Amino acid sequence: MNPTNPTNSVDERYMRLAIELAHKGEGYTNPNPIVGAVVVKDGTIVGQGYHHEFGGPHAEVFALEEAGENVAGATIYVTLEPCSHYGKTPPCADRIIAAGIRRAVVACRDPNPVVNGKGIEKMRVAGIEITEGVLEGEARRANEIFFKYVQSGLPFVQLKLAQSLDGRIATRTGDSTWISGEESRIQVHRLRRRFAAIVVGTNTVIKDDPLLTVRHVEGPNPVGIVLDGRGRVPLERKMFAEDGRTIVVTASMPEDKEAELCARGVEVWRLPAAAGKVDLRQLLVRLGKENLDSLLIEGGGETAAAFLESGLIDKVSFFIAPLLIGGRDSVASVGGEGVGVVANGHKLYGVEIAQFGDDMMIEGYLRGTT
């Protein structure tokens, strides 16, 4: 991003706090970005804030209001370039200028074409000293959902699986409760909170009867989506009885089955078929048009394989339990045809490893996704 001034440890310290604040808005601001802001004067934090919810005041507004009369001559740290246009709220760049801010430190530019560079230029022309690129990588990762969606119109797609050490998600009898531990399950609910929607396959709904909620943490529940190419999903399932939006996506479903689902408040999306199954790329296009900016894939193995083989996954999170299941008839975490040679395997980049209880989480990105 070509920083306009060299960064220093002080700038990084305050920007790191701003990024921490931004994460408080996860799940509430979609399809807008999460943003944090900190106002500092004479080495003291005088104001801070974050974007609380879609359509509400931006992070800069909360930080400036908290700073009050101390704002003149201060420095503001913002995780994403302040907006320069009228949307659901007035331009934050104008608010910063009017407040008398002396210096603005911006982690990264807003990729939205109506903003990109314009907010920074407006502040610079007004005489505010600008520093760009402080903790840019961390700030971009915090808003990876927003960056993908605003640049492509397609949702950010992440695959999450919990598996045994030998790569199984269920035993030969189909039992899968519970492979991962409680700490992992809580972390999964934190992950769910970030996403606008969660998708599972029909077999997962039939066998596991899952609730796709964030009941272990505080936050909004994502939209629940079932891939049901031929209309096999049972009507008596917990996710169809929950409050909130639920969608069944199909390529071919009997009209009476559709009517029964709709009578329960479930949406049915009929999408084109690809190789006899729902065209997953068309699903992403439809989600984007519905302002659903992110999709978490939670199962099962065939659904994971379908997205992976279609090249539609941006990121993966595997929770690995110290457990061996074994058996030729147990269920692999990723099904499908698989690759023919190891060199063609789907390699992860930017890998991070964390531990939750006795489980290990491996997370990384897939290159060449769309």
Side-chain angles (χ1 to χ4, degrees), residues 188-199:
V188 167
H189 284 226
R190 294 192 190 102
L191 184 62
R192 285 179 177 180
R193 182 173 58 191
R194 295 185 65 206
F195 285 79
I198 299 179
V199 65

Side-chain angles (χ1 to χ4, degrees), residues 47-344:
Q48 54 186 329
Y50 67 95
H51 186 26
H52 289 225
E53 61 183 354
F54 176 75
H58 292 182
E60 300 93 321
V61 173
F62 288 111
L64 292 171
E65 287 183 349
E66 185 175 291
E69 61 184 19
N70 292 313
V71 72
T75 297
I76 188 168
Y77 293 82
V78 190
T79 59
L80 188 69
E81 177 183 5
C83 60
S84 55
H85 67 296
Y86 282 88
K88 291 187 177 294
T89 60
C92 289
D94 291 356
R95 184 74 178 262
I96 290 171
I97 293 167
I101 286 288
R102 178 187 64 83
R103 177 175 177 244
V105 182
V106 180
C108 57
R109 294 194 176 194
D110 189 331
N112 189 335
V114 302
V115 179
N116 196 352
K118 298 180 180 68
I120 287 172
E121 184 61 21
K122 179 179 282 191
M123 292 188 296
R124 181 180 285 118
V125 169
I128 295 176
E129 178 187 342
I130 304 294
T131 300
E132 294 184 61
V134 177
L135 298 186
E136 179 178 5
E138 293 182 27
R140 289 177 65 91
R141 282 194 297 275
N143 265 317
E144 59 194 9
I145 288 174
F146 173 71
F147 271 70
K148 164 78 180 293
Y149 182 61
V150 79
Q151 291 175 315
S152 69
L154 299 176
F156 183 88
V157 180
Q158 185 163 338
L159 168 64
K160 167 263 151 185
L161 286 172
Q163 65 172 45
S164 64
L165 196 58
D166 53 345
R168 322 310 282 179
I169 59 173
T171 67
R172 59 181 172 78
T173 65
D175 180 53
S176 60
T177 310
W178 291 94
I179 289 178
S180 58
E182 183 178 0
E183 293 89 343
S184 290
R185 293 196 293 274
I186 292 172
Q187 178 60 21
V188 167
H189 284 226
R190 294 192 190 102
L191 184 62
R192 285 179 177 180
R193 182 173 58 191
R194 295 185 65 206
F195 285 79
I198 299 179
V199 65
V200 293
T202 308
N203 288 336
T204 296
V205 176
I206 292 172
K207 295 176 182 178
D208 297 341
D209 193 12
L211 273 177
L212 305 180
T213 65
V214 297
R215 57 197 177 277
H216 292 318
V217 298
E218 183 178 345
N221 288 323
V223 175
I225 298 176
V226 182
L227 287 178
D228 185 15
R230 300 188 302 277
R232 296 187 301 119
V233 66
L235 296 173
E236 300 298 332
R237 282 298 182 263
K238 288 182 288 189
M239 64 182 300
F240 297 147
E242 284 287 302
D243 291 335
R245 189 178 181 188
T246 306
I247 303 167
V248 174
V249 181
T250 187
S252 176
M253 175 184 288
E255 291 185 3
D256 59 342
K257 184 65 169 290
E258 179 178 354
E260 289 179 301
L261 285 167
C262 292
R264 294 169 182 261
V266 178
E267 296 177 41
V268 176
W269 290 2
R270 290 184 179 270
L271 296 180
K277 299 179 180 180
V278 171
D279 187 324
L280 297 179
R281 181 172 292 278
Q282 290 304 311
L283 170 60
L284 297 191
V285 170
R286 175 71 182 269
L287 290 171
K289 290 179 179 178
E290 295 268 341
N291 280 335
L292 296 171
D293 63 0
S294 48
L295 180 67
L296 183 64
I297 307 164
E298 285 221 13
E302 294 304 317
T303 299
F307 275 96
L308 190 63
E309 291 167 1
S310 298
L312 299 175
I313 297 175
D314 298 295
K315 187 176 184 179
V316 301
S317 299
F318 272 53
F319 291 81
I320 303 172
L323 172 71
L324 297 171
I325 291 178
R328 69 175 65 88
D329 295 325
S330 57
V331 183
S333 59
V334 179
E337 290 292 323
V339 299
V341 294
V342 172
N344 292 335

Side-chain angles (χ1 to χ4, degrees), residues 34-49:
I34 58 171
V35 183
V38 176
V39 179
V40 178
K41 187 171 184 179
D42 299 328
T44 301
I45 297 174
V46 295
Q48 54 186 329

